[in-house]
Amino acid sequence: MNDIGLIHFLFVSCALFFIGIYGFLTRRNMITMLMSVELILNSVNINFIAFNKYLFPHKLDGLFFTIFIITIAAAEAAVAIAIIINLYRNHRTIDVEEVDSMKY
Amino acid sequence: MLSSSLTVLIPFLPVFSFILIALVGRKYFPSFCGALGTLALLVSFLLAATVAYEYFFVVGKVAGVYQQIIPVKMTWLQFSPNVSIDMGILLDPISVMMIVVVTLISLMVHFYSLGYMKGEERYATYYGFLGLFTFSMLGLVLSSNIFQIYIFWELVGVSSYLLIGYYFDKPSAVAASKKAFIVTRFADLGFLIGILVLSFYAGTLDFQTLISRLTTQSSPQFQSIAAASFLGCSALTWGLVLVFIGGAGKSAMFPLHIWLPDAMEGPTPVSALIHAATMVVAGVFLVARLFPVFNMSVAALDVVTWVGLSSSFIAAIIACTQTDIKRVLAYSTMSQIGYMMFSLGVARNTGGENGLGYMASMFHLFTHAMFKALLFLGAGAVIHYVHSNEMKDMGGLRKLMPVTHITFLVACLAIAGIPPFAGFFSKEEILQAAFNSNKIVFGFAILTAAITAFYMFRLYFSIFWNKEYHSHNEGHEEHHGEAPFTMKLPLLILGLLSICVGFLPFGDLVTFNGQRLLTEFHITFSIAPVLLATLGIVIAWSFYRKEGPAPQKMADGLSGLYRGAYNKFYIDEIYLFITKKIVFNLVGRPAAWIDRNIVDGFMNLLATITGQLSFLIKKMQSGRVQQYAAYFFVGVIGFVLIFIYFWT
C-alpha cells in the first residue's frame, strides 16, 4: 500500500457509481434522486481523469470530457429542478411514488 | 368550312351549365338555374342546327357521298405507338342527326321543366343533372373512338341514375334508380368485353380505322378475327354480340328491359328525355355506328333482329294491360326501340334496297324522338293536372285540357302509323325493309304495329274520353288551369314536328354508305299496315270511348294471357328468383361465409393474440420512474454481460 495506482481510483469510482444507482432506485425524494444522478456522473468523471493520468499522461482528452460533463451536469440540474418545481405545483409533492399517473 | 370550336361547344355548353349550377348556382341563384340551363341548351341547339345545315348542305357531301369529318381530335392516352384512346369528334350523317335530336328534345324538356318542376326543392340540382345528362349523350354520339363512347356511355348511366332517383326520399325511386344502374352496368360488362375483343383483333380503338380494318376481307386483322373461333362462333361474332349486349342493356331490349318501366319513378320530363333522345336510343346508335362491322357477321345481325323483334312484340302485348300511363308509354318505347333494332338487323349488304333497313331505323329513331317526347310531356301535363298516374283516375279530360288533348292525339296517330303523321313514313320504311328480307319478321312487325295502335288509343281514350272527369282531390284544380305556357309551348312545337318531320327526305341525308338512297313509296304496300292500325284504333274506340264492360270481358276471356301480360310475363320475378334464390344461395352465402369466418377470422385471431399479449405486459407500464430506471439498469447490465461473454 505504498503507491496509489489506477485500480484504487477505479475502485472509488465504481463504489461511487453503485452508491448513485442505489440512491436513484431507492430514494423517493426527487431532489435526492437528482443528487444520486450527480454521484453517477462524478464517478464517470473520476474514471476519465484516472484513465487520462495513468494511461495517456501526455494527452488532455479525459480532462476536456470531464469539463464537458460538469457543464452538462449543471444544465441537467437546472432542467431537473425546473421539472421538480412544476411537479410540485401540480401534485403538491415531490415523492416519485405518488406521481404515477402516466401509466397504462 | 365547319368551325371546330363551334362543334366543340355543342356538348360543352350543357356541361358548363352543369358545373356552374353545381358550384355556385345551386347556392346563390337557385331560381335562375332553370333559365341558365335552358339558355345553354338553346345556344347548343342553334349551334347543332347550324352544324347540321353546314354538314348536310354545304361541306358534307363530296361527289355525292357524305364524308366522315373529324374536326377535333386529340390523343388522350397513348398505350403503344398504334393504340391510343383519343378524344375527338366524328361527324357523319348519323351523329349530326343525333346531335340535332338530342339538343332539340333536351331543349324542349328544359323548357317544359321550367313550368313542371317549378317550386321543387331541388330545382337547381335538377337542371344541373339535366345538363350533365345532355352532355353525356352528346359526347356519346360525337365520339370518334370506341373507348370514348364507352366513357360517355357510363356517364349516361350515371346521370340517368341521378335523375331517376331524383325523388330520393321515395323508396320506390331509390329502388328504380338502383335497378336501372345495376341492370345497365351488368350489360356494360358485355360491352366492355366486346370492345376489348374487337380492338384486340383490330389493333386500334379508333372508329374509322377499326371499321375499315374489320370490313376489308383481305386485311390481316379481318382474317385473324374471322379465323379465331370460340364455341363454334368466330371472334367477330362474339365481339359484336357482346357489344350488342351493352346496347341492349341501355336500349332496354328483352330480357334486359326490366329497368325501363321502373325508371318512370323519375320526374316525367326526365322520362321524356330518357325515352326520346338520350338514353334508350344509345344502344341503337351504337349498333348503327358499328353497323359496317355488324354487316360482316350474319349471326350477329340475326341476334340483333330477333332480340329487337321479340322485345318489340312482348312489350306491345304488355303495354295493352298496364294501367299506369307512364308504364304504357315505357313499354311502347321498348316496342319502338325494338323496331329500330330489328330494322338494323334486317339491313344487309349495304346499299340499294337492302340498305333500306339502316336508313329506316335512323328515320324511325328521328321521328320516334319527336312523338315520344310529345307523349311523355303530354302525360306529364296530365299527371300534373290529375295528380295521379293511374288511368282509372282520368277520363273525360279533353275539354279541360284542349292543347294537351290535341297534341297527344297527334302523337298517338304518329306512333300508330297513320298518314300523314311522322311515324307513318318511318314505320313504312321499316316494314318494307322487313318485307324485303324476312317474311316472318315482317309478319310480327305488322302485328306489333296493329297492337301499338290499339294500346296507344286505349291510352288516349282512357285519358281523354271514357267518363266524365271528377277530381279526386277536391278543390285542387280550381287554382291551376291546364298547364302554364312553358309547358304548352313544347307540346305545340313537338306536335307540329310530329306532323311534319315525316316529309323530310331522309333517304337523301342519312344512309348507310352516305350515298343517296332512293326510296319508293308503294301505295299498295302501305294499305295493309294502315288498315291494321286503323283496326286497332277502332277496337280501342269501341272498348274505351265509353266506360263499359267490354274490356273486362275481353280480359276475362283471355285470362291466362291477360294475367301474364299484366304481370309483365313474370320476368321481374324470374330475375328475382335467379338472383335471390340461386345466386345469393349458391354464390353469395358461401362467399359471405368465407369472408366472415375465414378472412375476418384470421384478422380477428391476429387482433386477439395482440390484445391478450398486451394485456399481459401492460403491468410493466406502472408509471413509476424508479421502476423504469431499474429496467434500464438491468438492461444495460444484460448488454454488458453479452458484450463481455458472448460477443467475440
Side-chain angles (χ1 to χ4, degrees), chain A residues 24 27 33 99-100 102-104, chain B residues 618 621-623 626 629-630:
Chain A
F24 189 76
R27 288 288 162 164
M33 283 170 69
V99 190
D100 60 352
M102 297 277 278
K103 60 183 173 187
Y104 49 90
Chain B
K618 79 173 181 181
Q621 296 282 330
S622 60
Q626 286 168 323

Side-chain angles (χ1 to χ4, degrees), chain B residues 331-375:
Chain B
Y331 281 108
S332 88
T333 303
M334 183 181 154
S335 179
Q336 300 303 311
I337 300 284
Y339 257 88
M340 298 172 204
M341 281 291 185
F342 78 71
S343 174
L344 282 173
V346 297
R348 303 265 161 88
N349 307 325
T350 67
E353 276 287 88
N354 293 322
L356 185 62
Y358 180 87
M359 170 264 178
S361 172
M362 292 297 108
F363 194 15
H364 198 56
L365 197 165
F366 186 70
T367 56
H368 173 258
M370 306 301 159
F371 54 71
K372 188 46 65 70
L374 176 55
L375 282 171

Side-chain angles (χ1 to χ4, degrees), chain B residues 365-591:
Chain B
L365 197 165
F366 186 70
T367 56
H368 173 258
M370 306 301 159
F371 54 71
K372 188 46 65 70
L374 176 55
L375 282 171
F376 267 107
L377 297 183
V382 169
I383 292 167
H384 193 65
Y385 189 82
V386 180
H387 294 278
S388 165
N389 286 5
E390 288 296 318
M391 273 187 202
K392 63 175 166 36
D393 298 336
M394 300 164 188
L397 287 171
R398 67 185 181 284
K399 292 208 185 89
L400 296 167
M401 317 181 72
V403 177
T404 317
H405 170 228
I406 296 299
T407 50
F408 206 86
L409 178 61
V410 166
C412 285
L413 288 170
I415 196 173
I418 301 296
F421 299 97
F424 165 72
F425 295 94
S426 52
K427 212 173 251 187
E428 211 55 33
E429 309 278 8
I430 290 183
L431 290 174
Q432 206 154 18
F435 186 77
N436 287 344
S437 81
N438 191 332
K439 296 292 184 288
I440 304 171
V441 175
F442 174 70
F444 272 105
I446 201 162
L447 191 59
T448 309
I451 301 173
T452 306
F454 169 73
Y455 69 71
M456 285 318 296
F457 276 85
R458 168 177 176 261
L459 183 67
Y460 165 75
F461 284 119
S462 302
I463 296 176
F464 294 104
W465 295 72
N466 209 330
K467 55 193 172 203
E468 282 304 305
Y469 179 70
H470 53 92
S471 175
H472 295 272
N473 11 5
E474 296 301 325
H476 182 84
E477 79 278 14
E478 270 84 54
H479 60 80
H480 70 73
E482 180 181 355
F485 165 74
T486 46
M487 282 164 72
K488 278 185 199 159
L489 185 69
L491 292 179
L492 290 171
I493 295 174
L494 286 169
L496 203 63
L497 286 170
S498 298
I499 295 173
C500 62
V501 288
F503 294 103
L504 277 179
F506 226 69
D508 295 354
L509 303 177
V510 181
T511 53
F512 170 67
N513 46 11
Q515 281 163 358
R516 187 168 189 185
L517 177 66
L518 282 176
T519 51
E520 291 162 47
F521 184 68
H522 304 284
I523 192 97
T524 46
F525 181 82
S526 53
I527 288 174
V530 171
L531 272 184
L532 274 172
T534 319
L535 183 71
I537 296 173
V538 169
I539 294 174
W541 180 75
S542 65
F543 275 15
Y544 297 101
R545 179 186 40 123
K546 286 243 166 64
E547 221 174 355
Q552 192 54 46
K553 239 184 258 170
M554 176 92 168
D556 292 341
L558 295 167
S559 64
L561 182 64
Y562 179 80
R563 215 169 327 117
Y566 184 76
N567 291 311
K568 304 154 221 158
F569 293 117
Y570 302 100
I571 293 165
D572 276 294
E573 281 74 13
I574 294 171
Y575 269 99
L576 280 182
F577 177 77
I578 291 174
T579 50
K580 286 212 168 132
K581 293 275 156 57
I582 297 177
V583 178
F584 285 6
N585 280 341
L586 294 185
V587 182
R589 281 180 215 283

